[in-house]
Amino acid sequence: MTTIISKIFYGTLIHSLSLTELEFIHNALLGVDNRGKIAFLERNVSNEQTLRDIIKKWEATEDKVVRLTNQQFLLPGFVDTHMHASQYPNAGIGMDLPLIDWLNKYTFPLEQSFSSVKFAEKIYPTVVSHLLRCGTTTAVYYATIHLESTKFLAKVVQQKGQRGFIGKVNMDCNSPETYVETIESSVKDTVQFVDYVLNLKNDPPDVSSLVTPIITPRFAICCSSELLNALGEVAKKYEIPIQSHLSENTTEIAIVNQLFPQHEDYTTVYDHHNLLNHRTIMAHGIHLSSQELKLIKKRNAGISHCPNSNFTLCSGVCNVRQLLDEGIKVGLGTDVSGGFSKSILDSIRNASIASRVVYLSSNTSDKVYPHLTLPELTYLATMGGAQLVNLENVIGNFIVGKEFDALLIDPEVEGSPMQMFDEIDTIDRIFEKFMFLGDERNIKAVFVRGRKVSGI
Ligand SMILES: O=c1[nH]c(=O)c2nc[nH]c2[nH]1
Ligand SMILES: [Zn+2]
């Protein structure tokens, strides 16, 4: 089969090769084929003749070439590994309470509104468009317990061309009277939802879907042991991923210990119900014992680090360095609306600050935990997230053969929040400024599987 090149980018690419290796590729020529895969990547193409020769070799034409300016660059798309689409209307409010009170006062009442699909139709298209605008090419979503509204979210994600993992939330106990399911309806609706998403029509029909169902027990407090068991079975039968919350808040942990006294710890509760495996994403994981860390590593489950939420709900400060040292997979999450920002750039910044808090408090003890570096933060936002969703061989950086999920960054847009000074601002300084000062105004275009899904 001949490769048909549909787009070629010429300019600077920045991506992670590993947790510590951030690569800047100057004068790069990157070709994307008509199926959205990276067909070629040539380095140091410093003259027009070489450029023309490469284009000719691939039987492409000059009109396919997008020429980046000296300040522009391409980045891999961001992966938000934990986001409550249904809580988006509450982003920026309700920061006065810790987790359990916050759930009861602000979150459950809002989520209950999604019993109306009409309400979902007002909210979900905006959520997905806003996330794409912020450079989130892959999102792992919590919806609500409601089947029809959650199906609608899956359809919106697919129509807008985002890569998405969509979870119908499961809650059969310790929940408000008006926002709870029976175990029977919870399992039945989950299976129906999984079937619905797995049967969504692809475009073109012969490529894998960008949308995947994810089994979503809200957290152990809201799920009976019978429900957790049933969900473990559904996840196994369909070979689909699992997400939940783990060890976010000390009161939450105490309640779990009370509800499940037969299990050693919170992590074991999920493990016992076959919900902890290489496809599992656990949000938070702040207060884990060394035994729990070992179990998470053994099962190859991942942790979604949501630092904005952890600060905002005063849940605690996650020691990401320790997770990484243990060899646990880590990605970043916004956790809207526990976190007030929808942008992974915000998660990057808060992850940096959280790691400095950990460093400062470890500074005088036997074990010092160095704060996260720029290469590490970049990795967590892209490749780390890709690992959590088991797509590390598909997305996350610009390796030939991977799919082209990318952001075209323009530091010079009108009203840009980052200031540059020609005399001193080399591309590495510009990149760092973007990561700490930039925002969606600097994200000129967003691509998922080679298709432009946001921007001009
Ligand atoms: O940050 C959180 N947001 C939630 O909605 C939630 N539910 C259980 N535990 C939770 N933590
Ligand atoms: Zn959450």
Side-chain angles (χ1 to χ4, degrees):
M1 196 171 64
T2 53
T3 305
I4 301 165
I5 301 299
S6 61
K7 266 188 212 81
I8 299 171
F9 293 89
Y10 183 44
T12 303
L13 312 190
I14 304 171
H15 69 164
S16 295
L17 292 176
S18 71
L19 184 63
T20 52
E21 287 169 285
L22 183 65
E23 187 184 30
F24 287 70
I25 312 177
H26 303 285
N27 295 315
L29 197 63
L30 178 145
V32 182
D33 71 20
N34 61 342
R35 298 171 75 80
K37 285 195 175 176
I38 301 170
F40 63 85
L41 172 55
E42 302 284 349
R43 287 144 204 270
N44 300 315
V45 181
S46 51
N47 67 65
E48 287 294 320
Q49 189 52 50
T50 317
L51 185 145
R52 277 195 294 273
D53 289 347
I54 297 168
I55 293 173
K56 197 167 159 209
K57 188 177 115 193
W58 286 94
E59 295 178 13
T61 46
E62 284 261 357
D63 60 305
K64 301 273 190 307
V65 181
V66 178
R67 288 169 187 265
L68 276 55
T69 66
N70 284 344
Q71 271 79 29
Q72 292 177 341
F73 51 89
L74 283 182
L75 275 185
F78 293 141
V79 182
D80 186 343
T81 58
H82 184 72
M83 198 283 174
H84 297 258
S86 53
Q87 295 175 18
Y88 193 56
N90 273 357
I93 65 115
M95 296 182 225
D96 55 329
L97 294 172
L99 177 66
I100 303 294
D101 300 331
W102 171 85
L103 284 171
N104 287 318
K105 179 168 176 190
Y106 299 108
T107 306
F108 291 151
L110 170 62
E111 290 192 18
Q112 209 178 304
S113 314
F114 288 82
S115 60
S116 153
V117 182
K118 287 242 165 321
F119 189 75
E121 284 168 359
K122 288 213 167 67
I123 311 296
Y124 286 151
T126 308
V127 178
V128 179
S129 295
H130 284 193
L131 259 66
L132 283 171
R133 178 84 195 82
C134 289
T136 300
T137 49
T138 299
V140 185
Y141 289 114
Y142 264 62
T144 60
I145 64 172
H146 312 102
L147 175 62
E148 292 308 322
S149 290
T150 309
K151 279 161 68 175
F152 178 72
L153 174 60
K155 206 165 79 182
V156 170
V157 171
Q158 197 206 33
Q159 281 171 352
K160 290 191 181 284
Q162 192 178 41
R163 218 179 270 278
F165 293 77
I166 325 289
K168 190 214 89 68
V169 176
N170 302 97
M171 304 163 63
D172 75 334
C173 61
N174 304 314
S175 310
E177 262 175 38
T178 48
Y179 189 45
V180 68
E181 316 161 282
T182 62
I183 177 168
E184 292 78 17
S185 68
S186 187
V187 177
K188 186 167 117 291
D189 288 357
T190 299
V191 171
Q192 268 196 39
F193 176 70
V194 170
D195 281 332
Y196 172 81
V197 177
L198 294 179
N199 287 305
L200 276 173
K201 295 271 172 292
N202 290 337
D203 177 26
D206 61 332
V207 299
S208 65
S209 175
L210 288 172
V211 184
T212 307
I214 180 164
I215 296 299
T216 306
R218 178 172 208 114
F219 63 166
I221 295 177
C222 284
C223 298
S224 64
S225 184
E226 294 75 11
L227 178 58
L228 292 173
N229 264 330
L231 295 175
E233 276 169 31
V234 177
K236 190 167 172 201
K237 177 173 169 206
Y238 288 89
E239 299 182 346
I240 53 176
I242 297 160
Q243 64 177 341
S244 196
H245 295 94
L246 172 66
S247 199
E248 175 178 5
N249 163 293
T250 49
T251 308
E252 169 208 21
I253 297 166
I255 298 172
V256 171
N257 290 340
Q258 254 176 23
L259 291 171
F260 297 91
Q262 65 278 36
H263 299 304
E264 240 159 273
D265 50 49
Y266 198 166
T267 306
T268 308
V269 174
Y270 292 123
D271 191 46
H272 176 84
H273 295 93
N274 294 318
L275 291 164
L276 196 72
N277 61 42
H278 68 286
R279 292 197 198 93
T280 303
I281 301 171
M282 285 293 167
H284 306 297
I286 303 173
H287 309 282
L288 298 165
S289 67
S290 55
Q291 236 176 309
E292 288 179 287
L293 293 173
K294 298 249 164 336
L295 181 56
I296 292 166
K297 164 68 184 154
K298 192 166 161 196
R299 299 286 183 254
N300 197 19
I303 298 288
S304 172
H305 176 45
C306 308
N308 183 320
S309 169
N310 297 342
F311 284 130
T312 301
L313 298 180
C314 291
S315 303
V317 186
C318 182
N319 188 340
V320 171
R321 174 68 61 203
Q322 187 184 24
L323 299 177
L324 294 172
D325 287 350
E326 290 281 347
I328 292 171
K329 299 182 291 187
V330 182
L332 297 181
T334 55
D335 194 23
V336 165
S337 63
F340 53 76
S341 170
K342 60 186 177 294
S343 169
I344 284 296
L345 283 170
D346 169 90
S347 305
I348 288 168
R349 292 159 199 173
N350 274 294
S352 173
I353 293 168
S355 74
R356 285 160 210 273
V357 173
V358 171
Y359 164 67
L360 289 171
S361 35
S362 72
N363 211 1
T364 51
S365 66
D366 298 347
K367 176 96 179 97
V368 176
Y369 293 101
H371 63 74
L372 297 171
T373 62
L374 183 64
E376 289 171 332
L377 292 162
T378 311
Y379 184 90
L380 295 181
T382 55
M383 276 303 295
Q387 281 185 320
L388 255 64
V389 293
N390 288 286
L391 289 179
E392 68 272 24
N393 296 321
V394 181
I395 54 167
N397 58 13
F398 297 125
I399 302 293
V400 171
K402 285 194 173 185
E403 298 186 3
F404 186 71
D405 284 15
L407 316 179
L408 201 174
I409 307 301
D410 185 1
E412 290 189 305
V413 286
E414 213 183 307
S416 175
M418 49 191 286
Q419 279 69 53
M420 289 179 305
F421 300 93
D422 287 348
E423 290 72 17
I424 55 168
D425 277 333
T426 50
I427 194 76
D428 49 340
R429 285 172 55 99
I430 293 172
F431 170 65
E432 191 166 358
K433 284 187 177 182
F434 168 71
M435 295 292 265
F436 284 90
L437 295 172
D439 67 23
E440 56 266 38
R441 286 170 288 186
N442 301 112
I443 302 179
K444 192 170 174 183
V446 180
F447 300 89
V448 175
R449 197 180 264 167
R451 188 178 146 214
K452 194 188 285 179
V453 290
S454 183
I456 50 164

